[in-house]
Amino acid sequence: MDEFSAHEPLISNGGFKDLQSKNKPFKLVLVKWLLKSLMWLIFVLWVAIIFFLPSDFVRSLFLNLIQASQHSFFGITGSIFLLFSVPILIIAFLAFIYISVFPSDDFERRNSKPPRFRLWTFPIIVDGPFGVVSAAEFIGILLFSAYVLYNIIDDSIQNQELIAREFSVTGKERSYLMIELTGLRLGSIGLFCMVFLFLPIARGSVLLRMIDIPFEHATRYHVWLGHLTMALFTLHGLCYVIAWALEGRLIEKILEWKDDEIANLPGVISLSAGLLMWVTSLHPVRKNYFELFFYTHQLYVVFIIFLVMHVGDFIFCMAAGAVFLFILDRFLRFCQSRTTVDIISAACRPCGTIELILSKPSNLRYNALSFVFLQVRELSWLQWHPFSVSSSPLDGRYHLSILIKVLGEWTAKLRDIVSTNSDQLQIKKITASVEGPYGHESPYHLMYENLILVAGGIGISPFLAILSDIIHRINERRPCLPKNVLVVWAVKKSKELSLISAVNAQSIHPSFSDKLQLDIQAYVTQESVPPLEEGKVHDMSSISSFSVINGRNMSCLVGTGNNMWSGMYVVVSTLGLVAIYSLLQAYYIKPFHVSTRWYLGLLFVLCMVAAVTILGGIVVLLWHWAEKRNLKHDESVKIGNEKIDLSLSSDAKAHSQTEGSNLVNLLATRYGCRPDFQEIFNSFSDRVGHVDVGVIVCGPPSLQSTVAKECRSQNIKGKWNHPVFHFNSHSFDL
């Protein structure tokens, strides 16, 4: 999916939660404010320490702390971990409390106050190397740029002063030393950037849920930070290589592995792994050789382990908090992915798109902007691919659907398996596992009376879920704001238009058009005239499907699932880390006077892994047992409901074929042209007036940029009060 930052519209517009808070006790509102303020205070102080560490004042405080803790029980390692890693862990604990007490999807009515300027959702830059950039993202880019430039300039000045004060060298030796010190400073800057590199890549991260940054947005930040971090680490290594080569000691220094100082060889290995990941993650390589990118990215394990051995335990503790949160998320994903999932239905649609209906437990929650990671073991045991959920959570309690377009080798092989099984009596084995669902913490598609959905090709998939969700909510009289919805859909071939028939609006709510003004405009770009038998374009009668039933649902062991168990998992694992490292200090490190830096770093990482897999694993087992017990009474109902859901789906298809009752009737198709968004948006503005508009885009970067540019133009012209632009980016280059 492709959806632009829907980060804090609720907070920024004083939305539903503010209105609801008026009806809440004052004490609860105060607790909410205090929690949020405390988290922001800790975060700002933590960032300020990192940002101003090169300054004389902060550096002197830091050195005093190191000196004071040198002979304490945890030593320098403990003090650095306390200063740089504990704050982010405390924020994570508080975030679990916050999202449990104040769920973001808890809304009843729309706030009458007009929304204010939204930093997260207003596009500032629409063209350039970063793609579409919101105001908040632009501020973040400026802050990181300022941090790097400030540190480089300040460190250069300090290097000059240090050489003049501490070293009696002249000429070439002074130049060599200056190059090495510059490399040292660049490495330390890169290490702090690595803190933020690992935070956005945890898919079920409570921190991302707290500020409602969906994983597809966080992935962009991971990419940006990855480029910055690897550029700094590469310059760090290059400075030392140049200095050692000029000194004539290159091979000797590269192979050096000291026990009481920085170990060079592990650093070379770590940097080599990082460079492989970096080069293969560049867009041209990733797009054309996805498997190469995927497999080389597993070298992150080598990168981290040898980085720790390179710098030692106490230096690594500057980034340990973020890495620990990533390990927590990775282990939980591993546990969830061990379960194979029933495929209730698998079919190839006439346009070549694959539709999978997967079994899920009734208590596994998701919203219409969610996505899952899918693994098919017959294709690969290692590859996981993201796909948008194409069904509404109101379509059925026990299943969800995904649509998969064939765009690469993996999806082509999956299509071959599905089409072969559908045509034969003998079903070949297909084993699917799922991670997720992930996505927005809040259902932003329900929070705007005027909604524009812009899709490119298979990008219609999440919008099918949105349309179904809106119509279901209208039918069931649930909270739902959209009154005017415009869908703009660009496809290459007219056969792709059959995807719209996946939603049968009439079967959900026969009179939905009385309460919802829905306009669907389709543009077929590579066909100049309609096909000869246009009426059969949307014919779904030729679809045949099969199922793979093993009696298993998707696992509930997901970071976005039960907040109580997720919070316990993080807390117990963190306390376990402290306990295991304390025992290691008391009974091994201190009694045996272990002081080898690379070995201490390796021991610290092993403590992190042990805390997550052993103590955190116990919580995961209890969580799994509790979920199984809660679902036992549901099993008898599930079979009946699945049959009802599937029979309703079949009836709906038959009804749509005979009476044309689905969304196909609302489709206005134009051939041989592309959408003119200026004209489309102007027409929409003339119809709805001077109002607030939510725009969600799902498609390639070029489509995102075009729509974002027009959204900004509409705001500047004063036609829209506060356009809110979202995009969802899931993998389309498989």
Side-chain angles (χ1 to χ4, degrees):
M1 261 175 18
D2 293 273
E3 180 240 291
F4 196 75
S5 148
H7 301 121
E8 279 194 346
L10 285 187
I11 296 173
S12 61
N13 70 359
F16 301 99
K17 293 191 289 186
D18 287 354
L19 177 64
Q20 193 182 33
S21 66
K22 294 178 182 179
N23 302 321
K24 291 181 178 178
F26 173 75
K27 290 183 179 179
L28 195 59
V29 176
L30 181 61
V31 170
K32 177 181 177 181
W33 182 84
L34 288 175
L35 267 176
K36 187 181 295 185
S37 300
L38 180 59
M39 285 186 284
W40 274 110
L41 177 62
I42 295 172
F43 179 75
V44 170
L45 290 176
W46 177 62
V47 171
I49 291 172
I50 294 174
F51 194 96
F52 294 108
L53 186 60
S55 66
D56 293 336
F57 176 71
V58 177
R59 186 185 292 271
S60 63
L61 291 178
F62 177 68
L63 294 176
N64 290 335
L65 175 65
I66 296 298
Q67 187 174 6
S69 61
Q70 194 166 5
H71 301 291
S72 62
F73 180 74
F74 289 108
I76 299 175
T77 302
S79 60
I80 294 181
F81 186 81
L82 179 67
L83 188 62
F84 294 105
S85 293
V86 168
I88 201 67
L89 295 176
I90 292 176
I91 293 174
F93 301 155
L94 295 175
F96 271 116
I97 297 173
Y98 186 91
I99 64 176
S100 298
V101 179
F102 309 105
S104 60
D105 59 351
D106 182 18
F107 63 90
E108 295 296 335
R109 293 178 292 169
R110 176 176 172 82
N111 187 8
S112 57
K113 296 180 180 179
R116 298 188 295 271
F117 180 75
R118 298 174 174 93
L119 291 177
W120 282 112
T121 54
F122 187 82
I124 294 294
I125 300 175
V126 294
D127 291 309
F130 296 104
V132 181
V133 178
S134 70
E137 290 168 340
F138 182 69
I139 292 171
I141 292 171
L142 290 180
L143 288 176
F144 266 100
S145 302
Y147 167 72
V148 173
L149 290 174
Y150 166 69
N151 274 265
I152 290 175
I153 294 171
D154 188 78
D155 288 341
S156 299
I157 296 172
Q158 291 193 25
N159 289 343
Q160 294 281 1
E161 295 175 351
L162 180 64
I163 292 174
R165 185 175 65 250
E166 301 291 339
F167 299 93
S168 300
V169 291
T170 57
K172 292 183 178 179
E173 292 182 353
R174 181 185 179 90
S175 299
Y176 301 158
L177 187 58
M178 185 65 184
I179 294 173
E180 290 190 26
L181 286 175
T182 301
L184 175 65
R185 305 294 190 184
L186 289 170
S188 64
I189 298 171
L191 191 64
F192 282 121
C193 289
M194 200 181 82
V195 175
F196 298 93
L197 175 67
F198 278 91
L199 287 177
I201 204 60
R203 295 174 188 170
S205 170
V206 68
L207 300 177
L208 298 181
R209 295 174 62 196
M210 170 63 200
I211 53 180
D212 202 15
I213 297 179
F215 180 69
E216 60 265 27
H217 291 276
T219 302
R220 283 178 10 125
Y221 310 151
H222 174 75
V223 171
W224 298 347
L225 290 164
H227 290 317
L228 176 60
T229 303
M230 284 311 305
L232 290 168
F233 280 157
T234 302
L235 291 173
H236 160 75
L238 192 61
C239 285
Y240 278 101
V241 167
I242 292 172
W244 294 338
L246 292 173
E247 294 171 2
R249 301 185 299 159
L250 180 59
I251 303 300
E252 173 193 347
K253 296 297 288 185
I254 284 178
L255 298 177
E256 193 173 73
W257 193 322
K258 293 184 177 180
D259 291 340
D260 55 347
E261 295 181 21
I262 295 292
N264 293 338
L265 184 56
V268 173
I269 297 172
S270 177
L271 181 58
S272 300
L275 286 173
L276 275 173
M277 289 190 292
W278 189 22
V279 171
T280 55
S281 68
L282 297 176
H283 182 69
V285 180
R286 176 173 180 171
K287 182 176 182 178
N288 298 311
Y289 305 98
F290 180 81
E291 291 190 3
L292 177 64
F293 153 77
F294 182 86
Y295 289 123
T296 54
H297 234 63
Q298 309 312 308
L299 290 173
Y300 73 85
V301 178
V302 176
F303 175 76
I304 294 174
I305 290 176
F306 281 93
L307 175 66
V308 174
M309 297 170 71
H310 172 58
V311 300
D313 56 335
F314 64 86
I315 296 179
F316 173 70
C317 280
M318 294 178 177
V323 175
F324 185 65
L325 289 176
F326 171 76
I327 294 173
L328 283 166
D329 178 77
R330 188 66 191 87
F331 180 69
L332 194 59
R333 284 161 44 200
F334 172 80
C335 293
Q336 187 193 25
S337 65
R338 294 309 89 198
T339 302
T340 57
V341 180
D342 285 352
I343 300 176
I344 299 175
S345 174
C348 264
R349 289 178 165 265
C351 60
T353 299
I354 306 160
E355 181 181 40
L356 298 182
I357 301 178
L358 305 172
S359 176
K360 79 170 191 70
S362 60
N363 60 340
L364 185 62
R365 298 182 302 111
Y366 71 98
N367 64 44
L369 286 172
S370 296
F371 66 97
V372 298
F373 281 81
L374 177 69
Q375 177 206 57
V376 178
R377 296 181 183 178
E378 284 72 24
L379 302 181
S380 173
W381 277 79
L382 294 178
Q383 290 191 40
W384 293 82
H385 295 279
F387 299 101
S388 301
V389 175
S390 60
S391 60
S392 162
L394 300 177
D395 284 333
R397 298 177 58 197
Y398 300 98
H399 73 269
L400 59 79
S401 303
I402 57 175
L403 294 173
I404 303 171
K405 185 175 182 179
V406 178
L407 291 170
E409 184 178 348
W410 188 90
T411 48
K413 290 179 180 178
L414 179 61
R415 176 197 56 196
D416 293 341
I417 293 177
V418 172
S419 59
T420 301
N421 284 342
S422 299
D423 297 336
Q424 296 179 1
L425 296 176
Q426 185 67 30
I427 302 298
K428 292 183 180 180
K429 184 179 180 182
I430 177 170
T431 310
S433 296
V434 174
E435 286 183 10
Y438 305 107
H440 289 288
E441 191 72 8
S442 302
Y444 289 101
H445 61 287
L446 301 175
M447 299 177 182
Y448 310 104
E449 287 189 2
N450 305 285
L451 189 62
I452 298 178
L453 309 175
V454 182
I458 192 61
I460 196 65
S461 179
F463 297 159
L464 298 178
I466 287 176
L467 294 176
S468 178
D469 199 48
I470 291 173
I471 296 171
H472 269 294
R473 287 178 172 272
I474 292 173
N475 183 49
E476 299 174 17
R477 298 185 179 180
R478 298 190 180 211
C480 178
L481 282 180
K483 299 294 186 294
N484 298 291
V485 178
L486 169 64
V487 180
V488 182
W489 184 21
V491 298
K492 293 180 179 179
K493 302 291 184 179
S494 58
K495 63 181 181 179
E496 297 179 52
L497 299 176
S498 64
L499 293 176
I500 200 72
S501 62
V503 178
N504 190 284
Q506 291 294 109
S507 67
I508 300 172
H509 186 36
S511 57
F512 77 93
S513 57
D514 296 339
K515 298 181 180 179
L516 177 67
Q517 179 66 41
L518 178 59
D519 182 15
I520 305 177
Q521 300 179 13
Y523 295 81
V524 182
T525 60
Q526 295 185 5
E527 293 179 3
S528 56
V529 293
L532 293 177
E533 298 180 352
E534 186 179 13
K536 294 187 177 181
V537 167
H538 314 295
D539 184 11
M540 307 303 295
S541 59
S542 60
I543 294 180
S544 58
S545 63
F546 70 95
S547 60
V548 180
I549 305 298
N550 299 309
R552 292 187 175 183
N553 294 312
M554 294 168 56
S555 171
C556 292
L557 301 177
V558 57
T560 55
N562 189 296
N563 291 330
M564 184 193 73
W565 283 108
S566 298
M568 285 179 59
Y569 168 64
V570 173
V571 171
V572 170
S573 298
T574 305
L575 295 178
L577 171 61
V578 176
I580 293 173
Y581 190 70
S582 300
L583 293 173
L584 195 67
Q585 283 280 351
Y587 295 102
Y588 179 62
I589 295 177
K590 289 187 178 297
F592 292 93
H593 305 288
V594 179
S595 59
T596 304
R597 288 180 61 174
W598 67 266
Y599 182 57
L600 287 172
L602 185 60
L603 287 176
F604 190 84
V605 172
L606 291 175
C607 287
M608 294 169 64
V609 174
V612 173
T613 57
I614 298 174
L615 297 175
I618 293 173
V619 177
V620 171
L621 283 174
L622 293 174
W623 183 0
H624 180 64
W625 175 79
E627 293 290 354
K628 286 185 67 175
R629 191 179 67 170
N630 291 338
L631 290 174
K632 273 186 178 179
H633 74 280
D634 229 12
E635 290 301 316
S636 59
V637 181
K638 174 186 172 182
I639 297 174
N641 278 359
E642 280 182 349
K643 290 180 179 178
I644 292 171
D645 288 339
L646 292 175
S647 64
L648 284 174
S649 177
S650 301
D651 292 343
K653 287 181 181 178
H655 187 59
S656 67
Q657 292 160 16
T658 56
E659 299 185 24
S661 59
N662 55 28
L663 297 180
V664 173
N665 285 344
L666 300 176
L667 204 61
T669 307
R670 296 169 177 81
Y671 291 86
C673 63
R674 297 179 180 276
D676 183 343
F677 289 106
Q678 181 177 0
E679 179 184 340
I680 293 170
F681 287 5
N682 285 339
S683 175
F684 186 79
S685 300
D686 294 340
R687 178 160 60 88
V688 300
H690 188 70
V691 293
D692 305 323
V693 179
V695 181
I696 305 179
V697 183
C698 187
S702 58
L703 181 64
Q704 298 172 22
S705 297
T706 303
V707 176
K709 188 181 299 182
E710 188 56 35
C711 283
R712 192 175 60 179
S713 174
Q714 292 289 327
N715 180 252
I716 293 173
K717 294 176 183 177
K719 292 192 174 184
W720 293 350
N721 285 342
H722 303 276
V724 179
F725 177 68
H726 306 271
F727 77 86
N728 292 332
S729 300
H730 298 156
S731 181
F732 290 106
D733 54 352
L734 305 182

